[in-house]
Amino acid sequence: MNFLYNIFVHLLIFGMRVLSLFNDKTKKGVEGRRQSLEVVKKAFSKTDKILWMHAASLGEYEQGLPVLEKLKEEFPTHKILITFFSPSGYDNVVKKKHIADAICYLPFDRKSTVKEFASQFDCKLFFTVKYDYWYNLLAELKHKNVKAFVISALFYERQSFFTTYGKWFVKQLKQNITWFFHQTQHSYVLAKSIGLLNSSVTGDTRFDRVKQLRIRNNHVDFVEEFLRKEKVIVFGSSWQAEEKIAKIVSEKNERLKIIIAPHDLKRVENLKQIFPTAILYSELKNSPTLQRSNSQTLIIDSIGLLSKLYSYADVAVVGGGFHDAGLHNILEAATFGAPVIFGNHYRKNPEADQLVSANGGKSFENENSAVQFVLDLFKDEKKRLEMSEKAKQFVDKQPDSSELILQKILSL
């Protein structure tokens, strides 16, 4: 099976290189990996003690970061390495202020490649987030006596571990992972069923992160002037489906203010066509007249503002759930007490079911049903406020996962 896995890795590399000829995102990942070794050589000496976090993409980074921050407090002289698989994670983090001494793409999982990469520093602790496992890397870290952990682990029935050919993968995890910190009881039970006994339920570390959002300064310049004390619905990380909802809602309730932060800034031009009277956020900075205008819709054409914008929301609609792209972060809206509306495609997001059960959110099969619910919420103030309180309570009741994980790691 090890032989077949290595064949798979080589096929993956070949496939990504071919796809990079046609896809800019894949091209970034392929070209970025060519620089990874030089990044760590430049940042670290071979005797530097390193805390290493690997995240597939941005969502996993957000889950792992609270733990990494606590580990840095415990080991202030250790340096930090963060690796990504996806350009969407790497691009979003490398350009911002962060705690890492080096950020790069995770090299392709060839034995010789990961051995050379890991030999450039003295890794004292490694953790991956959720379910991004690379078996040659884990084996190399085990060979170097590095303790490896999985933060916010999430097992589900369709994974390869639960297939007839999955025994090899399970064996590798048994050998190479020191401890699994599970998001859910269901994940914990599934892992136990295949013999992964070194594990505990610690919850989702993203709750720790979003709780911290409340205590920072969430002011966004010019937004209060645009809202003019009217009710507002924030469409976060929107795709076409959520934009359709925004359009119908704007036509049915003209008093509502609408803020749209698309998942991709390439959507801005399309949004201007859908909402011809909308204002771009970039335009507000230089135009007091626009700030005082009666325009109903504000389009956010810059990144990094969404989590703060949720603090203004009376209702939030979060994108990605009406198709297989994957539901975006609903917790950033829930922490501010916004009732959260989203599509029902979220198999890998257990927090969505939990928020719905807590009556702090609602999922829908199609856009039309969501539209009617949103309109009814703004007609029924009591119901909207009840959902708002339930959303906030849902976040408040979650355990301090990062502290639980830290204490267990220190004990090991």
Side-chain angles (χ1 to χ4, degrees):
M1 192 65 186
N2 185 55
F3 174 72
L4 293 177
Y5 174 75
N6 288 322
I7 290 177
F8 160 76
V9 170
H10 282 85
L11 289 174
L12 173 66
I13 296 169
F14 175 77
M16 288 184 65
R17 286 174 176 169
V18 172
L19 185 59
S20 69
L21 300 174
F22 312 98
N23 184 284
D24 289 340
K25 182 177 179 180
T26 306
K27 183 178 180 180
K28 285 183 179 180
V30 171
E31 292 181 347
R33 282 172 172 81
R34 295 188 180 121
Q35 303 169 21
S36 295
L37 184 61
E38 290 306 314
V39 168
V40 293
K41 281 183 175 181
K42 184 177 180 180
F44 308 130
S45 73
K46 293 193 176 185
T47 58
D48 279 337
K49 297 177 181 179
I50 304 300
L51 304 173
W52 181 357
M53 178 179 87
H54 173 65
S57 192
L58 183 61
E60 289 77 15
Y61 167 81
E62 293 289 349
Q63 285 181 293
L65 187 58
V67 176
L68 189 61
E69 290 172 337
K70 285 184 175 291
L71 285 168
K72 180 63 175 179
E73 291 175 3
E74 286 290 328
F75 305 102
T77 62
H78 287 35
K79 293 185 177 181
I80 291 178
L81 168 65
I82 299 175
T83 56
F84 288 96
F85 182 84
S86 167
S88 58
Y90 175 85
D91 287 345
N92 273 283
V93 177
V94 75
K95 298 173 184 177
K96 300 178 183 177
K97 184 179 179 181
H98 52 74
I99 67 170
D101 296 281
I103 295 179
C104 64
Y105 287 96
L106 184 71
F108 288 121
D109 199 40
R110 292 177 294 202
K111 288 183 179 180
S112 59
T113 304
V114 297
K115 183 176 182 178
E116 183 180 19
F117 184 82
S119 70
Q120 303 305 314
F121 45 84
D122 181 13
C123 183
K124 291 300 184 183
L125 184 149
F126 169 87
F127 68 88
T128 187
V129 182
K130 206 168 183 178
Y131 39 51
D132 204 40
Y133 306 112
W134 296 99
Y135 299 98
N136 288 326
L137 171 63
L138 292 173
E140 176 62 23
L141 292 173
K142 179 69 172 181
H143 176 73
K144 293 170 70 68
N145 295 316
V146 177
K147 291 190 180 298
F149 301 90
V150 183
I151 304 299
S152 292
L154 190 62
F155 285 79
Y156 55 93
E157 289 83 348
R158 295 183 184 179
Q159 285 171 308
S160 59
F161 311 118
F162 306 101
T163 63
T164 55
Y165 58 84
K167 292 183 180 179
W168 181 85
F169 299 103
V170 174
K171 181 181 178 182
Q172 304 309 304
L173 296 182
K174 284 182 180 179
Q175 291 176 342
N176 300 324
I177 298 296
T178 305
W179 200 266
F180 294 88
F181 298 99
H182 292 276
Q183 286 190 51
T184 67
Q185 181 70 23
H186 182 65
S187 176
Y188 171 79
V189 170
L190 284 175
K192 288 277 190 179
S193 73
I194 54 176
L196 299 176
L197 305 180
N198 293 342
S199 61
S200 55
V201 181
T202 49
D204 190 339
T205 53
R206 285 180 298 174
F207 287 101
D208 303 341
R209 193 74 181 155
V210 298
K211 287 175 186 176
Q212 295 172 1
L213 298 181
R214 299 174 186 167
I215 60 177
R216 71 178 181 184
N217 180 4
N218 285 294
H219 172 79
V220 179
D221 290 339
F222 317 118
V223 168
E224 286 93 344
E225 292 86 344
F226 167 78
L227 295 179
R228 301 177 69 175
K229 298 184 179 180
E230 299 285 357
K231 290 287 190 293
V232 59
I233 179 168
V234 175
F235 290 81
S237 302
S238 66
W239 293 68
Q240 288 90 330
E242 291 77 29
E243 292 158 11
K244 178 181 176 182
I245 295 172
K247 180 64 173 175
I248 300 173
V249 167
S250 69
E251 294 170 346
K252 297 286 187 178
N253 188 337
E254 296 181 356
R255 287 186 61 85
L256 274 180
K257 291 287 189 175
I258 293 174
I259 298 176
I260 305 176
H263 82 282
D264 188 337
L265 294 185
K266 293 178 182 177
R267 294 288 307 159
V268 170
E269 288 304 314
N270 298 80
L271 285 168
K272 282 291 288 182
Q273 294 177 17
I274 298 170
F275 301 92
T277 62
I279 300 170
L280 296 180
Y281 181 73
S282 59
E283 296 173 339
L284 290 180
K285 299 178 182 180
N286 302 315
S287 178
T289 302
L290 284 177
Q291 294 170 27
R292 296 191 297 270
S293 77
N294 291 320
S295 178
Q296 184 182 18
T297 306
L298 176 64
I299 299 170
I300 306 301
D301 55 345
S302 58
I303 61 173
L305 296 178
L306 180 56
S307 62
K308 291 186 176 184
L309 289 168
Y310 282 134
S311 69
Y312 295 94
D314 294 293
V315 172
V317 177
V318 176
F322 285 102
H323 48 71
D324 293 331
L327 182 63
H328 293 278
N329 193 331
I330 61 174
L331 301 181
E332 290 180 343
T335 195
F336 291 110
V340 190
I341 312 302
F342 46 90
N344 64 355
H345 291 243
Y346 54 80
R347 178 171 58 86
K348 297 181 181 180
N349 299 76
E351 72 279 4
D353 276 326
Q354 295 165 7
L355 182 61
V356 171
S357 296
N359 197 34
K362 187 81 171 174
S363 69
F364 295 91
E365 184 176 352
N366 59 69
E367 301 94 317
N368 291 330
S369 299
V371 166
Q372 192 55 54
F373 186 82
V374 168
L375 292 171
D376 289 344
L377 269 186
F378 283 104
K379 291 178 182 177
D380 189 341
E381 185 72 355
K382 180 180 178 182
K383 182 177 181 179
R384 188 186 65 77
L385 291 175
E386 285 177 354
M387 283 193 72
S388 173
E389 184 60 26
K390 294 291 185 181
K392 187 174 182 298
Q393 288 177 0
F394 168 69
V395 175
D396 287 340
K397 290 178 181 178
Q398 303 305 316
D400 187 349
S401 299
S402 303
E403 186 61 30
L404 294 173
I405 290 168
L406 175 68
Q407 294 308 316
K408 183 63 180 180
I409 289 176
L410 294 178
S411 75
L412 292 169

